[in-house]
Amino acid sequence: TEEGLQEPCKDKILDLTLISLSMTAFSALFSVDSAGACFSSCSPKVCIVGSGPAGFYTAQHLIKAQQHVHVDIYERLPVPFGLVRFGVAPDHPEVKNVINTFTQTAKHSRCSFYGNVNVGKDVSVQELQRAYHAVVLSYGAEGNRTMGVPGEGLAGVYSAKDFVGWYNGLPSCRQLSPDLSCETAVILGQGNVALDVARVLLSPVDMLKETDITQPALEALAHSQVRRVLIVGRRGPVQVAFTIKELREMVNLPGTRPDMVEADFDGVTEALKDLPRPRKRLTELMLKTALQTPGETEQERRDQASRTWGLRFFRSPVEVLADPERHRTAGIRLAVTRLEGSGEAARAVLTGDVEDVTCGLVISSIGYKSLPIDQSVPFDSKSAIVPNTMGRIKQAPGLYCSGWLKTGPTGVIATTMNNSFDTARSLLDDMESGVLDLSAAKSGSQVITALLEQRGVKPVSFSDWEKIDRVEMSRGEASGKPREKLLTVEEMLHVART
């Protein structure tokens, strides 16, 4: 078998195979990769749109698995890393360590970064397809899922995506300036993002001062009057989407105590035995927090707490209630639900009862959604993804997708890594099988940068980003933080070009 051959024998067999080819075919071939596939005299050129985890993990796998491929990454903002920079909570610096791996990929000799390029506006997907052998769309989910209830547009209602973007320095969210003068905030949704937002709202400012949270957010939170946060879900304790790490952080958050409704946990103890281990451990921690009498030390801690947080189950938003002048949020009306079915498949159905909660801040954390980028790219507006099979975009040869655009906004960074590797494998398989035509020379970034120059667009290179990085780190060091982010595109570009 081939696996049993020594390397010299393999080479001789390969030589004979090449000799048997016609001279015309032979002249079109220049090398053989480690998998034995022959590629054209021009190295394969792949373009990736989006420099978040999906984009970088796709690039990483392509570069490692194929020794001739060149990858160009295009990013709308002047700075890379997507949700690692703008989505990960500021008090989770360990999650941001993946930036080190992404930096290695970006600085690889066969990878180039082009920031400040808005694909779909500055350059079309079709133009990229003409310049590259393959195009991978990995631009994520920048849209918001709306609640679709009356009062959603009132002052005091925000999407979690925008709220997170505000405290993490996303330029488009800089002007958000949320009003934190109320006592109670209601967060709709029970995923990790909902708990991140709750934790940031309730964390002691001295804790946040040591993170890379933006200075305007830090100042706003220092003056915040929010003392109570309710995290609301339409289903029950067994169906929450957050993980045990995030729940444990809430349970142990200094200066806070939990506020649960015991009746919400009826029957949950009996359901424990049928749960898979991770879900079982998570549910046990919820039960302990909600029902168990705390020990002396914990009771003392809770007695001294000035802020509270609570999970509220079997509730679904019906209407955001306005103040008498109808200018801003005064409360939220919740429909009471019950479950049909059990476990992950359980559905929430309305009971006909409603409940009003007084609050001045409503944050909707019911999910991000992808948006279409270009009319030439198929898009399923109902599920808000690009229709695909293993990352191959349907009815669009040479076009691929990875990350949340491929699957919808689910999972953590490790989930995105695996789905991005899968897309990269699909693309490599198509190279090896001939589905992707590699015989034609493609000019890649050469023609795209020329087009951008004609259109007055000046891309930001990775070394330009490193200038921004150094300035942010230096500003952070001066105030005892890991970094102080630049908050506008204009400021980023000024530093990059200085």
Side-chain angles (χ1 to χ4, degrees):
T1 65
E2 185 178 330
E3 290 80 0
L5 291 173
Q6 298 297 311
E7 287 302 316
C9 295
K10 278 190 182 180
D11 292 342
K12 286 175 184 174
I13 290 172
L14 188 56
D15 289 342
L16 291 170
T17 306
L18 291 175
I19 290 167
S20 70
L21 296 170
S22 70
M23 289 303 293
T24 308
F26 180 76
S27 65
L29 299 170
F30 98 114
S31 67
V32 178
D33 80 346
S34 58
C38 297
F39 289 98
S40 80
S41 56
C42 54
S43 60
K45 290 185 171 64
V46 177
C47 156
I48 294 175
V49 179
S51 69
F56 267 109
Y57 279 128
T58 305
Q60 176 189 318
H61 193 82
L62 289 172
I63 289 166
K64 281 187 176 178
Q66 215 280 50
Q67 60 181 332
H68 302 297
V69 72
H70 190 99
V71 178
D72 291 333
I73 301 174
Y74 291 88
E75 166 59 50
R76 186 183 57 183
L77 290 169
V79 295
F81 311 133
L83 279 186
V84 178
R85 177 181 170 96
F86 296 118
V88 173
D91 58 347
H92 284 175
E94 72 287 350
V95 180
K96 301 182 189 187
N97 289 339
V98 292
I99 285 176
N100 300 328
T101 305
F102 297 163
T103 297
Q104 287 178 1
T105 299
K107 296 177 90 164
H108 193 282
S109 59
R110 289 184 283 111
C111 185
S112 300
F113 172 79
Y114 298 91
N116 194 44
V117 178
N118 192 342
V119 174
K121 181 182 175 187
D122 298 332
V123 61
S124 71
V125 172
Q126 288 176 318
E127 285 169 330
L128 293 175
Q129 285 185 280
R130 286 194 287 271
Y132 291 89
H133 293 102
V135 174
V136 185
L137 302 178
S138 305
Y139 60 82
E142 59 177 325
N144 293 315
R145 292 193 184 276
T146 58
M147 292 183 286
V149 301
E152 192 167 9
L154 286 169
V157 181
Y158 306 94
S159 73
K161 186 191 81 67
D162 290 346
F163 196 81
V164 169
W166 167 68
Y167 65 63
N168 272 334
L170 184 64
S172 61
C173 299
R174 188 173 64 93
Q175 305 292 349
L176 197 71
S177 190
D179 184 352
L180 305 179
S181 61
C182 61
E183 182 179 334
T184 299
V186 169
I187 301 172
L188 300 166
Q190 293 182 328
N192 280 343
V193 173
L195 264 60
D196 283 347
V197 171
R199 200 173 62 253
V200 167
L201 280 171
L202 296 176
S203 286
V205 173
D206 285 347
M207 280 176 60
L208 294 175
K209 276 181 183 173
E210 298 175 358
T211 74
D212 66 358
I213 193 169
T214 66
Q215 194 59 31
L218 192 60
E219 289 168 8
L221 289 162
H223 295 99
S224 169
Q225 299 301 305
V226 176
R227 295 291 178 268
R228 179 174 179 246
V229 176
L230 299 179
I231 306 152
V232 178
R234 56 186 164 72
R235 298 196 292 169
V238 174
Q239 288 81 31
V240 295
F242 53 74
T243 53
I244 194 166
K245 175 181 181 288
E246 277 68 24
L247 177 62
R248 195 176 286 120
E249 286 176 323
M250 287 304 304
V251 171
N252 296 324
L253 189 64
T256 71
R257 68 175 179 273
D259 167 27
M260 306 287 204
V261 177
E262 286 192 22
D264 282 352
F265 294 87
D266 287 349
V268 173
T269 303
E270 292 73 28
L272 277 178
K273 64 181 186 304
D274 299 322
L275 297 178
R277 188 168 182 271
R279 171 70 68 178
K280 183 179 181 182
R281 288 175 61 235
L282 170 63
T283 309
E284 283 173 341
L285 179 55
M286 270 189 283
L287 282 166
K288 178 183 176 183
T289 306
L291 307 180
Q292 192 171 312
T293 303
E296 188 178 334
T297 306
E298 174 61 13
Q299 187 61 58
E300 189 178 330
R301 188 186 78 84
R302 292 186 186 185
D303 289 343
Q304 292 173 355
S306 60
R307 302 180 179 191
T308 65
W309 64 273
L311 300 169
R312 292 293 183 270
F313 300 101
F314 311 112
R315 301 290 185 271
S316 182
V318 174
E319 181 182 0
V320 180
L321 305 173
D323 64 359
E325 288 78 37
R326 303 207 61 78
H327 292 318
R328 60 167 300 105
T329 303
I332 187 161
R333 179 160 293 157
L334 302 170
V336 180
T337 65
R338 61 178 175 80
L339 290 187
E340 279 189 358
S342 60
E344 302 283 348
R347 288 189 322 113
V349 296
L350 301 179
T351 62
D353 294 332
V354 296
E355 176 182 288
D356 291 352
V357 176
T358 301
C359 63
L361 179 64
V362 173
I363 298 175
S364 171
S365 185
I366 57 175
Y368 295 27
K369 71 172 182 179
S370 296
L371 302 173
I373 192 173
D374 193 305
Q375 287 185 341
S376 67
V377 180
F379 191 80
D380 181 342
S381 54
K382 186 177 179 182
S383 55
I385 60 168
V386 171
N388 71 91
T389 305
M390 290 296 287
R392 297 176 179 93
I393 296 179
K394 293 181 180 178
Q395 301 172 332
L399 208 52
Y400 300 81
C401 60
S402 65
W404 284 0
L405 184 65
K406 171 184 173 183
T407 61
T410 58
V412 292
I413 288 176
T415 320
T416 297
M417 178 184 73
N418 289 325
N419 104 42
S420 301
F421 287 177
D422 286 343
T423 291
R425 281 190 282 268
S426 292
L427 198 160
L428 291 166
D429 287 347
D430 290 351
M431 283 184 181
E432 292 177 19
S433 67
V435 170
L436 276 180
D437 180 12
L438 300 179
S439 62
K442 297 279 189 175
S443 49
S445 61
Q446 196 174 348
V447 69
I448 298 301
T449 50
L451 277 175
L452 292 171
E453 189 175 350
Q454 289 172 17
R455 294 164 187 174
V457 179
K458 189 176 179 185
V460 169
S461 69
F462 200 78
S463 58
D464 292 335
W465 145 248
E466 289 180 314
K467 291 181 191 175
I468 297 170
D469 188 37
R470 284 193 293 272
V471 167
E472 290 185 341
M473 301 275 274
S474 173
R475 290 186 181 186
E477 191 177 354
S479 56
K481 299 170 69 177
R483 92 169 47 236
E484 189 62 61
K485 292 175 184 172
L486 305 184
L487 301 181
T488 68
V489 169
E490 292 73 23
E491 197 176 7
M492 292 170 184
L493 292 178
H494 175 73
V495 170
R497 291 165 185 171
T498 300

